[in-house]
Amino acid sequence: PLSTRSWEGREVVRRSAGLLLLEAAARVAPGVLVRVGPSLSSAQVIEVPAGQDLEALARALHAEVRAMASRDGAFVEEIWTVEEALTHFAAQGWDDAVAVLRYWRDPTVPLVTCGTVYALSLAPLLARAGVLDDLAVRVQSDVLLLEFGRAILPFLPPGQKEVGDPSLSGGTGNGAPRSSEMVVEHKAWLRTLGVESVGSFNARCITGEVSELIRAAEGFHEKRIGRIADAAAARGGDLRIICIAGPSSSGKTTFIKRLTVQLQIDGIVPRAISLDDYYVDREKTPRDQLGVFDFEALDALDLPLLQAHLVRVLAGEEVKTAAFDFVKGKSSAGGGPSLHLGPREVLMLEGIHGLNPALLGTAARHDQVFRIFIHPVVGLPLDRLSAVNTADVRLLRRIVRDRHHRNLSAAENILRWPAVRDGERRHIFPFLPQADVVFDSSLVYELSVLKVYADRYLLEVPREHESFTTAYRLRRLIDRFVTIYPDHVPPTSILREFIGGSGFEY
């Protein structure tokens, strides 16, 4: 059985709480267009039109969701014909749901409700609302938040109440305001193309505009990478180190290749140094709470050695870098290649700790370092309750890549995913405000391509396996997308890192 000890179980709580919130909004603010927005660790962003009195709205919503939870109403799934659902959602103004249903494969569609508001049933919900008796609605930094309370908080790392940045949704939340710039531009670009939901994306594909969408999406990426290179080059002679960080399956490898080209156009030659070569000896590696080696911990790196080498390199010396023997688990302080920075050359460091100031310590001044954070951010909505979760996009990327290149099954990958995300919450996202720029690696068409591979890989998960719940949910997600065959994907695309056929040598 699922519980909130599992990340999939916690997602059930999030979805159920979101539907309860929409029902509360229909009762206390029927004229306000409310939508469930991006997830944080312990809360959900609630999107409302500009000009609302957020404090008053938060108080009304808070009282209503508490009252509904106390009445312990049931979450109910109903089976409607597609025609009935289309008529209903059109009358309610749920244009995203209407657009999805226009290309629905089946004659019927499951809907969920806990009162009068209906939403597409795309994943499991709770049985009853009484479990959600400590939800809270409040305003933080001009953003309306739905907080989950004890259902989620006990499973966050100690001292960490939230990970994520409301500004990633294009709002004005706290954290790194720089992160919203690309998101706002990305959403504006999608609106220009008429692609504001999964349904409208499918419509563009069906009318024969696949190639145009792909060219525009890839062009948008290239333009942003060029701007990032220009921003780094604007530092002039002060720029000595570029640090790149991002969670698993963000597309860092291809991004670095493409950024290198753009930096060279700006007259900058990056020289890579591998942080993997600075691991401490295996027996010195810290262990996690289960006693397993924690290779993602900052203390797993020999920071004094790394920083000493950086100081010497930045001073103009030639340094024999470190090397690590992964078979023997032994480090060699001078066993790597020699490194010397010439004119217009900069160091490029890639790793999960790239945003953590402790990685470099005092080896470099703040103005000598340019920090880049990369991950997929923008996910298209399916209706007012559900949108494509970019963590699911990363998991699908990872499943396809690892099944292709590492012979790792979808079931095994799904089992490993909670530990991967836990490491990201501890070591990556808390340092997001340190980033100078954030690159959104999402591609509007990618789930249509990943579907070609992922559907079969997910079907390989046995029904009795503990990964089946997640595999089934992901299959239902990709089934909502029109299929695009990989022949259309250019060889320089970030997507090629996962499906194969990249034009870059890795």
Side-chain angles (χ1 to χ4, degrees):
L2 285 177
S3 76
T4 50
R5 292 187 177 276
S6 72
W7 67 276
E8 189 72 58
R10 293 193 288 274
E11 290 303 309
V12 171
V13 171
R14 292 177 185 276
R15 287 188 291 272
S16 305
L19 182 56
L20 196 70
L21 186 284
L22 292 178
E23 179 67 29
R27 298 181 182 188
V28 303
V32 179
L33 177 62
V34 176
R35 180 186 295 274
V36 176
S39 294
L40 306 180
S41 287
S42 61
Q44 196 93 23
V45 175
I46 303 302
E47 298 176 351
V48 296
Q52 299 295 318
D53 184 343
L54 291 184
E55 293 291 348
L57 182 59
R59 288 193 296 271
L61 289 173
H62 178 88
E64 186 61 27
V65 295
R66 287 295 185 102
M68 292 172 63
S70 69
R71 291 193 290 269
D72 194 26
F75 289 97
V76 178
E77 183 177 77
E78 299 179 8
I79 306 299
W80 291 32
T81 67
V82 171
E83 289 74 14
E84 289 171 336
L86 277 168
T87 301
H88 171 79
F89 285 124
Q92 298 299 314
W94 282 42
D95 296 338
D96 296 345
V98 169
V100 169
L101 289 172
R102 290 196 190 282
Y103 304 102
W104 200 263
R105 295 177 181 274
D106 303 314
T108 59
V109 54
L111 303 182
V112 287
T113 185
C114 57
T116 60
V117 173
Y118 285 84
L120 298 174
S121 179
L122 301 169
L125 297 181
L126 294 168
R128 307 194 68 84
V131 178
L132 304 171
D133 60 353
D134 65 339
L135 292 178
V137 182
R138 68 183 180 91
V139 179
Q140 177 181 310
S141 303
D142 297 326
V143 174
L144 193 65
L145 295 179
L146 173 63
E147 296 184 334
F148 301 115
R150 65 173 178 271
I152 301 294
L153 286 176
F155 305 100
L156 294 180
Q160 179 181 304
K161 292 187 177 180
E162 284 186 5
V163 171
D165 177 7
S167 66
L168 290 175
S169 67
T172 56
N174 62 350
R178 293 175 295 276
S179 62
S180 65
E181 178 188 350
M182 184 176 181
V183 176
V184 171
E185 187 174 346
H186 195 169
K187 290 184 174 182
W189 166 74
L190 289 172
R191 282 195 298 273
T192 301
L193 290 180
V195 178
E196 297 186 72
S197 68
V198 173
S200 57
F201 166 78
N202 286 339
R204 293 291 301 269
C205 293
I206 290 169
T207 54
E209 300 172 77
V210 169
S211 295
E212 179 185 346
L213 283 173
I214 291 177
R215 286 195 299 269
E218 297 294 343
F220 181 76
H221 267 191
E222 196 61 35
K223 184 175 183 179
R224 292 298 309 190
I225 293 171
R227 287 184 184 177
I228 291 173
D230 293 344
R235 295 279 184 94
D238 289 334
L239 178 66
R240 305 310 304 279
I241 300 177
I242 297 175
C243 290
I244 301 171
S248 173
S249 303
S250 292
K252 295 186 291 294
T253 303
T254 303
F255 171 80
I256 289 171
K257 297 287 187 181
R258 292 171 66 172
L259 179 64
T260 296
V261 173
Q262 294 291 341
L263 288 169
Q264 290 171 338
I265 293 172
D266 284 330
I268 297 174
V269 179
R271 297 286 305 278
I273 183 171
S274 175
L275 293 180
D276 287 352
D277 284 323
Y278 284 84
Y279 277 124
V280 298
D281 290 343
R282 188 71 45 79
E283 63 268 17
K284 297 179 182 177
T285 302
R287 296 177 182 268
D288 62 18
Q289 57 189 2
L290 300 177
V292 178
F293 286 125
D294 187 357
F295 295 107
E296 295 184 332
L298 186 62
D299 291 340
L301 298 175
D302 190 341
L303 292 183
L305 178 63
L306 172 65
Q307 293 167 7
H309 283 182
L310 293 178
V311 168
R312 292 173 57 195
V313 169
L314 296 182
E317 297 182 33
E318 182 172 320
V319 174
K320 288 282 288 182
T321 59
F324 188 81
D325 187 325
F326 283 89
V327 176
K328 297 179 179 178
K330 291 292 183 181
S331 60
S332 173
S338 297
L339 179 64
H340 174 264
L341 288 186
R344 300 295 290 173
E345 291 186 336
V346 299
L347 283 175
M348 184 177 284
L349 302 179
E350 180 268 319
I352 65 170
H353 301 293
L355 301 184
N356 189 340
L359 177 70
L360 304 181
T362 59
R365 302 191 312 269
H366 180 76
D367 62 321
Q368 293 180 309
V369 184
F370 190 81
R371 291 185 168 91
I372 303 169
F373 185 78
I374 170 175
H375 72 149
V377 182
V378 174
L380 293 176
L382 291 113
D383 62 9
R384 293 189 195 174
L385 173 63
S386 302
V388 174
N389 187 328
T390 53
D392 286 340
V393 173
R394 291 194 292 115
L395 177 55
L396 285 164
R397 287 177 174 183
R398 183 181 168 103
I399 285 171
V400 171
R401 179 198 63 196
D402 290 357
R403 180 67 169 72
H404 270 340
H405 305 299
R406 304 175 188 179
N407 200 30
L408 187 70
S409 71
E412 293 172 293
N413 230 322
I414 291 170
L415 286 184
R416 295 182 182 186
W417 191 236
V420 171
R421 295 196 68 187
D422 180 63
E424 296 166 357
R425 285 194 295 266
R426 289 185 289 121
H427 302 304
I428 300 179
F429 287 105
F431 300 101
L432 177 57
Q434 300 294 325
D436 292 289
V437 294
V438 174
F439 179 78
D440 176 8
S441 69
S442 61
L443 289 162
V444 67
Y445 71 91
E446 66 180 289
L447 286 186
S448 289
V449 177
L450 291 171
K451 173 183 179 179
V452 174
Y453 307 93
D455 189 49
R456 179 166 69 86
Y457 300 158
L458 293 168
L459 280 168
E460 294 172 351
V461 180
R463 183 172 292 271
E464 65 275 8
H465 196 280
E466 59 185 299
S467 297
F468 180 79
T469 300
T470 300
Y472 180 73
R473 180 177 61 79
L474 292 176
R475 280 168 44 206
R476 293 180 70 184
L477 170 64
I478 60 178
D479 195 48
R480 304 278 66 85
F481 285 80
V482 170
T483 301
I484 297 176
Y485 288 96
D487 300 359
H488 295 275
V489 182
T492 56
S493 173
I494 279 175
L495 188 53
R496 285 288 176 189
E497 185 174 327
F498 307 97
I499 66 173
S502 174
F504 295 109
E505 294 181 5
Y506 293 142

